[in-house]
Amino acid sequence: MICAVNSAQTRRRFEAALVDPRSAGVACQLGALQAVFGPLPGSGWRFYTGGEGEPSFALGVRGASALLAGPADAEELSGFLGFCGVQQLRTTAAVPKGWQPKERFVRMILPAGATLPRQPAPEKIRLNECPGVGQVTDLLCRGESLGSGAGDARDCFYSETCTLVNHGRALIWAAQAPEGELVATAGAYALWNQTAYLAGVETLQGNRGRGVGRFLVCALANRLAGQGNTVELLCTPERAGFYRALGFEREGEVGSFGP
């Protein structure tokens, strides 16, 4: 049975699924999102888990997208996600009955306490450890991370990221040109249970090939790992070599599925 997370008991079952090693890849995101948006009515996020005595799973739904960790019943999950209007599910475990793989992502990690080789700052680039979320959103919209970033999608990303940052569940850095323009960004967009989920790595077209992204990712990852966090990220298979060259380790895959 799929139950809404609305009590101490359901929260315990939800969180139990996130400490299972099989939940790696989406557990950090689900944990941070539930901690921040679970108590906020109207956030758009809805969280679910299994019934008492059933295997634990954690499910987060927003709009047409969902995240899942743990062994939900495939047939029940399919019907439930269809009822919710979900068209894309990222998961490390259960796949809804009849759903098909759409994308696969490689999970890369930097263990807590580990260190990536320090990368020199490119000429005339300085590190900004507290960029404005609006500036970062604009940069991501200009690049590939947020596509066109039109309308509701941009506003949703901006609002959600501001809330995560204000609650201490996200940390965003940027590389800045002398005139003040942000030219690259990377962030821990979920901080939960001594894990940092690294995402939103973007360098504007005119600044690529200068080592800006390498410099920024290594600086941020080393700070996070030095604070006792395991740093993890999901990337497309063709990008795995970039992160492996920096010193990240490959640790399995995560799939994206659709009806």
Side-chain angles (χ1 to χ4, degrees):
M1 179 172 62
I2 297 178
C3 307
V5 176
N6 56 11
S7 67
Q9 291 84 357
T10 51
R11 279 194 297 275
R12 281 196 294 269
R13 296 202 295 273
F14 183 94
E15 291 175 2
L18 304 182
V19 299
D20 187 322
R22 293 171 296 181
S23 301
V26 297
C28 178
Q29 299 169 73
L30 279 166
L33 290 166
Q34 200 284 323
V36 173
F37 297 108
L40 296 178
S43 70
W45 277 102
R46 295 167 289 161
F47 300 95
Y48 304 93
T49 189
E52 188 70 39
E54 298 178 357
S56 297
F57 67 85
L59 174 65
V61 175
R62 180 167 191 170
S65 299
L67 295 168
L68 172 69
D73 179 83
E75 188 168 354
E76 182 183 21
L77 181 62
S78 178
F80 183 79
L81 294 179
F83 174 78
C84 293
V86 172
Q87 294 294 310
Q88 183 179 45
L89 172 70
R90 185 176 293 182
T91 182
T92 58
V95 178
K97 184 176 180 180
W99 284 41
Q100 303 299 319
K102 300 297 183 184
E103 261 186 301
R104 65 186 181 96
F105 301 93
V106 177
R107 179 179 179 243
M108 309 293 291
I109 68 165
L110 177 68
T115 304
L116 299 177
R118 185 176 179 274
Q119 302 291 323
E123 186 179 0
K124 297 183 179 180
I125 292 295
R126 74 174 184 86
L127 186 62
N128 184 339
E129 298 183 11
C130 193
V133 176
Q135 290 179 290
V136 170
T137 303
D138 289 340
L139 188 156
L140 293 174
C141 289
R142 292 169 60 192
E144 300 171 1
S145 298
L146 285 181
S148 64
D152 292 344
R154 182 197 185 282
D155 293 343
C156 178
F157 175 85
Y158 171 77
S159 174
E160 185 172 293
T161 302
C162 283
T163 305
L164 289 166
V165 169
N166 290 338
H167 282 78
R169 296 289 181 174
L171 176 67
I172 303 170
W173 283 9
Q176 188 168 317
E179 61 274 15
E181 180 191 17
L182 301 187
V183 297
T185 185
Y189 280 85
L191 295 165
W192 185 81
N193 195 30
Q194 293 304 113
T195 303
Y197 174 66
L198 187 67
V201 178
E202 182 78 57
T203 301
L204 291 183
Q205 185 66 46
N207 289 273
R208 295 175 184 174
R210 301 176 55 202
V212 181
R214 292 193 299 273
F215 160 69
L216 188 57
V217 168
C218 288
L220 178 56
N222 285 340
R223 172 70 63 85
L224 293 165
Q227 293 173 340
N229 297 290
T230 294
V231 183
E232 69 171 55
L233 62 90
L234 299 177
C235 66
T236 57
E238 57 267 23
R239 291 290 292 167
F242 170 81
Y243 292 104
R244 190 183 298 112
L246 295 181
F248 284 87
E249 301 172 6
R250 182 175 179 137
E251 189 75 19
E253 294 187 357
V254 175
S256 178
F257 300 84

